[in-house]
């Protein structure tokens, strides 16, 4: 009669140690076969794909496994005249891919190879009267884009280019009864969206506007008996939420509110022992997206010395962020 | 690859799949290549719609293709009749339906549907609303559809009450519907706003809602949704911004506020009967861009004695608020320390509702003594009803929760620590605050300790970086003996700190002591019983002095 | 006879009678490649499992009363069929011999303005009934006068005629007979448990595509002299305002305990020899909860053994949440559809069907049935399957004494009107004057049981005297069974002005405790019975067969007393295993089957691929219509 909890049961024979070498193989094979079906069908988000692969390799200490010059020039070529970046040639620029491009270039310390002024004007041009950001000129509003905008601008030290007060007001208008955030005013809280908004507030130094205890509680309640984290109540666990929930908790100074050992166990169980890479849940298909977020979560959990420290706001290796004028804010208790 | 099961396949199956996929890749490449050509040529025509449709039906998330369609449609708007445009947009709406069938979570397809409806000469919003209702009966948690519904509701100007009725229906079907409770939290304050502005809804509705969630709790106490909603209903209203601490003296001037602020708007000391503003600059105590503890540096030395009354002003929501400081007998300093108020006043009616709720929870616990949701709710209720009467019971319940819900043990430990600090701060006033032996795992309310001179935190479980000690601007002596501090990384600048005792902690790295050099007055340091202090004491002393040359006493020995 | 004489004479299986078990067996045999001949003496399918429109029901009643004539009608088989040495004829009986005490009665005037009540009613024993029926039939086409006063019956757009129209409608016999085709009146009304063996069989065998169902919308019970909605699902428990929150927890906890198979042994230690009532009492349930669980959910009595009660509770709960808000499904067009669905499958796989094809005798030799005499032919098969009702009395060790009492009422509104047309299951616990529980099923027009504006109420219990004596008292609790006073029919205004007042003076009216507030708020009058029929029928599910039944003759029971079809399905499976121990019973069709539900969605729907299946259609039927089909 009681509603059964939605969760997975971890089988005994699932991997329990980090298969880093396998993951590096998995990541470096990304795009080696240009005719690969998955690779081709995800062309429309290639820039993000490259960011996932790059960042994951960087966290594994193997960024040099990819030809830097090739990657940089591929990214640089994707900057449109507007200043925004497209996911791959032939597509339209979008703030999502603009952030991915900037992140890749920052990791390669090659941000000066693009036209920063036009980048800044592209991003600031996406801000609307009410402070929100659209993803491109077609008007979709989402707090994800608010995060992308301030992350982009802060990575080039140009936060001054937007109306910060209004941007903050808009994000705050998306706060909910549970302390979390949705995609737009009225929308339900979702761990991915919370990451964007908490990340936004950490970049803009406005974290005090969050009810950190209330939100932290909601976030730690995402942990299921399997140890995995879901993104909303009554949903299944997924490795990518390990990142979104955990990074938010980390920014709020409440990472310890989840059970680290059980979460590590769940994440490790999502490794593919054959091909390398992480999947959303044990037994599913691995992909670069979940591989990055699996590795990044393990980094935040601090239990895997072979993974470099990751910054919870930017999801980039900490050592790549030394040049920032202002460090993203963190709360402590 | 969300939720795609990896299945073992036979060789033939694999080969067949490979060929099919190779074919698809070819088709995609050809079609997309054609689109790129057409866009470059500025062709906005039927063929563009056809080709992009074929690709989108396969991959609905290619936003560039939707963009191209919108370009074509915007172009058509100029050249075709209104009826034709209506027809075009209706088939556009149908395409989004096809795409959403393949991927109900496609951001692009949902957005395109909104765009389509907004550009339709004669949009049928009622139909959209009906579709949303149907869709939500099939997947009651699809947040894209809920968002789209809210968009439709805005456009169709559906009254909030009607939507509230809709949530009633949905909850009756299945009350484990977090999306629905969320929607209620947005609708209720619109439909039944509290005329007093204290609570989100009127008192009568508030009571009704509590009864509703109580029904859910009693039917299935393991259901999260209702408990989250209940916590919102029971939540205290956010306290008003106010000044809680202020000090004006030679050597140290500061102000502490209930809520952090980003810029010291209107924050100024006003001196004398004429309330003359004191010139000077403000900065945050912790160096962050916003803070609740602000430090003031007067441009000129303070007049001695202070001429008459001293006030501190602050802008709150555009209004200027002032608080008067108490000038010391010698006239050299002025101080304000507002007694902390951690409770929230309840109306008698609400108070009795809360008592009923508490009683209900206790009955629930008779059936399910291990229900963590019920236990946590009793804690919240007891804190709301009378935090002093229920102090012991609260602590006992939290201890139980630590055992029961071990995944979140640290949450309950921190909550316990927070309440213990609150109880202590209500009892202990003055320069010395003693929080010894409370098993604290977190130090909450540091800003309220801004004026404290001696803080004793011995025999607790503190272990994480203590950067929030930056608020302790006046603290001269800090004792953290027998905690679990393993690193001083992130140790803040404490301008008054003279004596720091960290006996029997877990410090094992000498280098991290360097952060203490940010405390300019530090003279006495005790690290006895730490791994780092093991071995030859002379050698140790030498190394520490190399890092902190101004120390006069180390580990109890005068240097 | 001559027209039928060209039937082939040899089969693997001959099935005599199209009742439930027989039809399942016919389908099962045909499905595994056996040559099946399926015959029935009636012109309709289903035998005692059939559903009739009002006219055909009258014919059936007439047949039941003329059973003696019918059996004497039989030709002497010797005249056509020859038997060899060592063979014997065994003459078969008519199914109608199993039905007794038929008592059919109108409670309303024949037509508007008629005066004497006595004239409307007729006892089945009277001989002039045929005439009366004919009169009605004749008048059917001539009378058009009333249509203006009762437009609702013809108005397809009316959503809820029962609540809106019945109060001011003056139904006459003519009105009802004019719509006789819109009735599907069941002889053996039964429900399907959503996870019962019949539903599983329908799905696994792919027969589901021939059938359609409605989910029962509510389970009622009779408590403290009034009707109560039983909170039987998680959503019901949450929504009901008639039990306290503490009771909600008690109920949920108890039900969860019964479902917790892991800890069952521990929980019920020491109750093996006690009753379910003892157990429930030990849980200190409140009186209401105890009533709900024991009488409504477990459908038990005070003497139900504990573990049986637990099993029944589990059966109820296991079927929850699959379709709709209760564990039960009701077949569209009535129970009679189900045997037909199996017959259809049998036919698809090559079975031969002959209605109006009575089997007059078996030819038996050496403990085997070597022939079936039908329509002047001698047919042969390895196995003969036959309804028990046709078996000669010497095939039983003791003649069946147990019987079922049945009543059917046509009423003018639901026993508890609701916003959407209700489909109700109700079980009366045994009372001082009725030692056995009484099962009530109320069905409305959307199941095609009756025309708009009317309801059918079925009552069933174990026979102790006659159906009328057994069931009248219960009927009076929830229905007005008195004849309508003709003076209440105000022809000029078309309103039945004084009727409700009279009813209320006769019976303490009940303010039913409904599932939601609006139901309880209105004071209700009981529905008026417009037409009633009582009959008794033998209960053959526990018959003791004698050793003289030939080895290859398989006898199938008629409708049993239980609410569901479990007995028939299991009996069919058991007989099939005797016939073909090595073959699979109605094997799963090669394609995966699925149940597509219209209206209601099951809990925890995760199949996003199907999300838009229903979107962009017109509104589905307002009541949760269930379609079990092969996608």
């Amino acid at each position: 009669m009681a509603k059964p909890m939605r969760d997975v049961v971890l089988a005994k024979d699932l991997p329990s140690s980090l298969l880093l070498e396998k993951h590096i193989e998995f990541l470096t094979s990304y795009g080696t076969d240009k005719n690969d079906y998955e690779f081709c069908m995800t062309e429309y988000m290639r820039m993000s794909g490259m960011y996932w692969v790059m960042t994951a390799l960087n966290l594994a200490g193997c960024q040099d496994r990819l030809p830097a010059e090739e990657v940089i020039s591929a990214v640089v070529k994707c900057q449109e005249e507007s200043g925004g970046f497209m996911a791959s040639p032939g597509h339209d620029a979008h703030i999502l891919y603009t952030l991915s491009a900037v992140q890749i270039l920052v990791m390669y310390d090659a941000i000066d190879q693009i036209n920063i002024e036009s980048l800044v004007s592209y991003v600031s041009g996406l801000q609307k009267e009410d402070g929100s950001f659209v993803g491109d000129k077609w008007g979709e509003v989402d707090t994800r884009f608010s995060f992308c905008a301030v992350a982009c601008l802060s990575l080039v030290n140009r936060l001054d280019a937007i109306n910060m007060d209004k941007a903050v007001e808009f994000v705050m208008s998306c706060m909910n009864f549970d302390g979390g955030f949705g995609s737009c005013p009225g929308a339900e809280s979702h761990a991915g969206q919370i990451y964007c908004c908490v990340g936004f507030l950490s970049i803009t130094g406005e974290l005090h506007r969050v009810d950190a205890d209330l939100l932290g509680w909601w976030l730690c309640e995402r942990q299921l008996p399997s140890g995995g984290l879901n993104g909303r109540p009554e949903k299944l666990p997924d490795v990518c939420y390990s990142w979104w929930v955990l990074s938010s908790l980390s920014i709020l100074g409440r990472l310890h509110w989840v059970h680290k050992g059980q979460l590590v166990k769940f994440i490790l169980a999502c490794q593919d022992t054959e091909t390398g890479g992480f999947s959303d849940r044990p037994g599913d298909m691995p992909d670069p997206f979940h591989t990055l977020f699996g590795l990044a979560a393990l980094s935040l959990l601090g239990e895997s010395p072979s993974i470099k420290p990751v910054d919870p706001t930017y999801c980039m290796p900490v050592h790549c962020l030394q040049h920032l004028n202002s460090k993203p804010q963190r709360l402590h208790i | 690859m969300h939720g795609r099961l990896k299945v073992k396949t036979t060789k033939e199956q694999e080969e067949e799949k490979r060929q099919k996929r190779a074919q698809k890749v070819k088709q995609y490449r050809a079609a997309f290549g054609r689109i790129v050509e057409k866009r470059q040529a500025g062709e906005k025509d039927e063929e563009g719609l056809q080709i992009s449709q074929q690709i989108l039906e396969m991959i609905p998330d290619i936003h560039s293709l939707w963009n191209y369609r919108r370009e074509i449609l915007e172009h058509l708007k100029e050249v075709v009749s209104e009826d034709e445009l209506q027809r075009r947009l209706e088939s556009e709406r149908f395409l989004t339906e096809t795409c959403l069938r393949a991927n109900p979570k496609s951001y692009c397809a949902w957005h395109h549907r909104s765009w389509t409806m907004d550009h339709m000469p004669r949009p049928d919003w009622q139909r959209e609303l009906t579709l949303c209702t149907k869709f939500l009966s099939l997947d009651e948690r699809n947040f894209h559809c809920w968002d789209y519904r809210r968009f439709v509701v805005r456009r169709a100007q559906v009254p909030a009450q009607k939507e509230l009725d809709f949530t009633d229906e949905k909850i009756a079907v299945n009350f484990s519907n977090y999306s629905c409770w969320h929607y209620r939290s947005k609708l209720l304050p619109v439909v039944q706003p509290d005329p007093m502005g204290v609570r989100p809804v009127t008192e009568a509705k508030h009571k009704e809602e509590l009864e509703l969630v109580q029904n859910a709790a009693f039917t299935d106490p393991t259901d999260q949704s209702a408990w989250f909603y209940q916590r919102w209903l029971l939540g205290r209203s956010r306290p008003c911004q106010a000044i809680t601490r202020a000090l004006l003296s030679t050597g140290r001037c500061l102000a502490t506020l209930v809520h952090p602020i980003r810029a010291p708007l209107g924050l100024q000391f006003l001196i004398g009967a004429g309330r003359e503003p004191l010139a000077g600059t403000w900065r945050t105590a912790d160096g962050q861009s916003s803070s609740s503890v602000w430090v003031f540096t007067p441009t000129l030395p303070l007049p001695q004695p202070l001429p008459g009354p001293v006030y501190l002003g602050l802008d709150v929501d555009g209004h200027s608020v002032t608080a008067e400081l108490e000038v010391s007998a010698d006239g050299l300093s002025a101080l304000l320390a507002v007694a902390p108020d951690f409770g929230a006043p309840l109306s008698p009616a609400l108070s009795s509702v809360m008592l009923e709720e508490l009683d209900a929870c206790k009955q629930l616990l008779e059936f399910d003594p291990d229900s963590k949701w019920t236990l946590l709710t009793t804690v919240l209720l007891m804190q709301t009803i009378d935090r002093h009467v229920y102090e012991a019971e609260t602590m006992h319940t939290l201890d139980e929760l630590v055992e029961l819900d071990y995944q979140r043990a640290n949450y309950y430990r921190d909550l316990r620590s927070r309440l213990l600090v609150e109880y202590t701060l209500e009892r202990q006033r003055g320069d010395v605050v003693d929080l010894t032996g409370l098993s604290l795992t977190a130090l909450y309310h540091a800003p309220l300790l801004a004026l404290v001179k001696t803080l004793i935190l011995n025999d607790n479980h503190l272990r994480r970086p203590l950067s929030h000690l930056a608020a302790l601007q006046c603290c001269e002596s800090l004792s953290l003996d027998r905690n679990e501090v393993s690193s001083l990384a992130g140790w803040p600048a404490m301008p008054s700190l003279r004596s720091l005792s960290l006996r029997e902690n877990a410090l094992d790295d000498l280098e991290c002591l360097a952060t203490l050099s940010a405390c300019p007055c530090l003279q006495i340091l005790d690290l006895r019983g730490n791994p780092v202090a093991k071995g030859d004491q002379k050698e140790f002393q030498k190394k520490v002095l190399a890092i902190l040359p101004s120390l006069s006493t180390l580990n109890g020995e005068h240097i | 006879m001559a027209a039928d004489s060209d039937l082939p004479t040899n089969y693997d299986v001959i099935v005599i009678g199209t009742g439930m078990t027989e039809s399942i067996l016919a389908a099962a045999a045909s499905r595994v490649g056996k040559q099946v001949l399926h015959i029935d003496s009636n012109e309709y399918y289903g035998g005692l499992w059939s559903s009739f429109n009002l006219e055909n029901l009258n014919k059936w009643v007439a047949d039941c009363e003329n059973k003696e004539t019918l059996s004497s009608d039989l030709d002497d088989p010797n005249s056509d069929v020859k038997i060899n040495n060592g063979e014997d004829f065994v003459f078969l009986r008519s199914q109608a011999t199993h039905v007794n005490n038929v008592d059919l009665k109108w409670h309303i005037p024949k037509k508007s303005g008629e005066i004497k009540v006595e004239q409307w009613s007729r006892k089945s024993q009277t001989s002039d009934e045929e005439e009366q029926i004919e009169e009605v039939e004749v008048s059917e086409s001539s009378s058009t006068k009333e249509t203006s006063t009762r437009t609702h019956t013809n108005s397809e757009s009316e959503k809820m005629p029962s609540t809106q129209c019945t109060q001011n409608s003056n139904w006459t016999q003519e009105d009802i007979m004019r719509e006789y085709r819109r009735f599907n009146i069941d002889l053996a009304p039964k429900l399907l448990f959503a996870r019962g063996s019949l539903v599983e069989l329908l799905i696994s065998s792919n027969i589901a595509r021939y059938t359609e169902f409605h989910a029962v919308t509510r389970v009622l019970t009779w408590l403290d002299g009034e009707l109560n909605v039983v909170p039987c699902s998680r959503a019901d428990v949450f929504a009901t305002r008639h039990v306290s929150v503490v009771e909600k927890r008690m109920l949920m906890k108890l039900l969860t305990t019964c479902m917790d198979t892991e800890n069952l042994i521990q929980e019920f230690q020491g109750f093996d020899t006690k009753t379910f009532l003892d157990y429930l009492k030990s849980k200190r349930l409140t009186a209401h909860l105890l009533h709900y669980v024991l009488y409504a959910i477990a459908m038990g009595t005070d003497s139900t053994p504990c573990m049986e009660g637990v099993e029944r509770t589990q059966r109820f709960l296991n079927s929850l949440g699959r379709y709709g808000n209760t564990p039960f499904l009701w077949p569209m067009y009535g129970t009679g559809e189900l045997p037909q669905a199996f017959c259809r499958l049998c036919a698809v796989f090559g079975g031969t069907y002959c209605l109006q094809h009575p089997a007059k005798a078996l030819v038996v030799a050496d403990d085997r049935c070597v022939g079936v005499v039908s329509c002047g032919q001698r047919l042969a098969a390895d196995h003969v399957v036959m309804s028990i009702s046709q078996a000669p009395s010497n095939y039983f060790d003791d003649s069946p004494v147990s019987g079922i009492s049945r009543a059917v009422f046509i009423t003018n509104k639901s026993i508890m009107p609701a916003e959407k047309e209700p489909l109700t299951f109700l079980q009366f616990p045994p009372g001082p004057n009725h030692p056995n529980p009484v099962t009530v099923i109320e069905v409305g027009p959307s199941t095609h049981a009756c025309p708009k504006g009317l309801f059918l109420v079925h009552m069933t219990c174990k026979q102790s005297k006659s159906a009328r004596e057994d069931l009248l008292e219960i009927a009076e609790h929830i229905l007005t069974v008195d004849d309508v006073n003709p003076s209440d029919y105000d022809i000029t205004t078309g309103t039945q002005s004084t009727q409700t007042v009279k009813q209320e003076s006769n019976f303490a009216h009940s303010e039913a405790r409904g599932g939601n507030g609006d139901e309880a708020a209105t004071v209700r009058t009981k529905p008026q019975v417009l037409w009633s029929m009582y009959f008794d029928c033998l209960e053959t599910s526990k018959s003791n067969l004698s050793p003289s039944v030939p080895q290859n003759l398989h006898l199938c029971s008629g409708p049993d007393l239980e609410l569901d079809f479990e007995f028939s399905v299991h009996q069919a499976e058991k007989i099939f295993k005797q016939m073909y121990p090595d073959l699979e019973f109605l094997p799963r069709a090669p394609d995966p089957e699925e149940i597509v539900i219209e209206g209601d969605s099951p809990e925890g729907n995760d199949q996003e691929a199907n999300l838009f299946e229903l979107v962009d259609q017109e509104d589905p039927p307002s009541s949760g219509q269930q379609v079990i089909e092969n996608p």
Side-chain angles (χ1 to χ4, degrees), chain B residues 94 97 100-101 104-105 127 130-131 134-135 137-139 171-176 181 212 214-221 223 363-364 367-368, chain C residues 234-240 243-246 248-250 252-253 599 601 603-606 608-620:
Chain B
F94 184 75
E97 240 154 66
L100 288 171
R101 208 172 286 159
K105 295 174 178 176
R127 180 180 178 279
T130 311
L131 279 177
K134 268 181 201 163
F135 191 109
S137 73
L138 295 167
D139 180 2
I171 285 172
V173 171
N174 176 18
F175 59 85
S176 297
W181 293 106
L212 190 68
Q214 201 186 69
N215 268 309
F218 273 81
T219 306
D220 187 355
D223 176 66
Q363 289 183 40
L364 255 187
F367 290 100
D368 307 273
Chain C
R234 188 172 178 269
D236 279 357
V237 175
F238 167 69
T240 180
V243 299
S244 71
V245 286
V246 172
K248 290 183 180 195
R249 187 82 290 265
M250 278 181 172
M252 287 295 289
K253 199 160 171 73
S601 65
E603 280 183 55
N605 187 340
D606 245 355
E608 282 163 340
N610 290 330
L611 278 182
F612 269 101
E613 288 304 345
L614 297 175
V615 172
D616 261 13
Q617 287 176 6
E618 289 306 307
D619 272 337

Side-chain angles (χ1 to χ4, degrees), chain C residues 238-399:
Chain C
F238 167 69
T240 180
R241 292 181 190 170
H242 299 295
V243 299
S244 71
V245 286
V246 172
E247 286 178 306
K248 290 183 180 195
R249 187 82 290 265
M250 278 181 172
L251 182 58
M252 287 295 289
K253 199 160 171 73
L254 181 94
L255 298 179
T256 308
T257 306
C258 288
M259 292 300 282
D260 179 10
T261 43
E262 271 177 38
N263 300 309
L264 215 54
I265 296 168
Q266 208 183 332
E267 171 70 21
F268 293 95
Q269 212 161 25
F271 283 97
D272 334 10
T273 55
K274 293 185 176 158
T275 64
F276 196 41
L277 178 64
D278 290 331
Y279 171 73
L280 295 177
K281 280 184 174 165
S282 80
K283 289 281 160 184
R284 290 177 299 157
L285 292 193
T286 60
H288 278 174
L289 294 187
L290 197 143
H291 183 100
Y292 291 153
V293 176
L294 179 59
Y295 303 125
I297 292 175
M299 292 175 258
T301 66
D302 292 357
S303 56
T304 302
C306 179
M307 292 323 289
E308 188 187 319
V310 175
E311 272 166 37
R312 286 166 154 270
T313 305
Q314 285 175 350
R315 182 180 60 171
F316 185 101
L317 298 178
N318 273 327
S319 282
L320 274 180
R322 192 173 194 181
Y323 318 110
N325 199 34
T326 70
F328 305 115
L329 294 179
W330 169 259
M332 291 276 268
Y333 304 98
T335 312
E337 281 297 297
L338 293 172
Q340 282 194 62
F342 284 94
C343 292
R344 245 166 268 167
L345 184 83
C346 175
V348 166
F349 282 86
T352 306
Y353 275 81
C354 294
L355 291 180
Q356 287 181 285
H357 210 97
K360 292 168 192 167
L362 306 176
V363 183
V364 175
D366 297 335
D367 196 23
R368 285 188 66 81
C369 176
V370 294
V372 173
V373 180
S374 176
C375 298
Q377 273 189 293
R378 175 172 167 165
L379 311 167
D382 295 343
H383 293 279
V384 177
V385 172
M386 186 173 76
S387 162
I388 224 167
S389 59
Q390 293 192 257
S393 52
N394 66 316
Y395 279 7
F396 301 95
D397 269 351
D398 38 25
S399 53

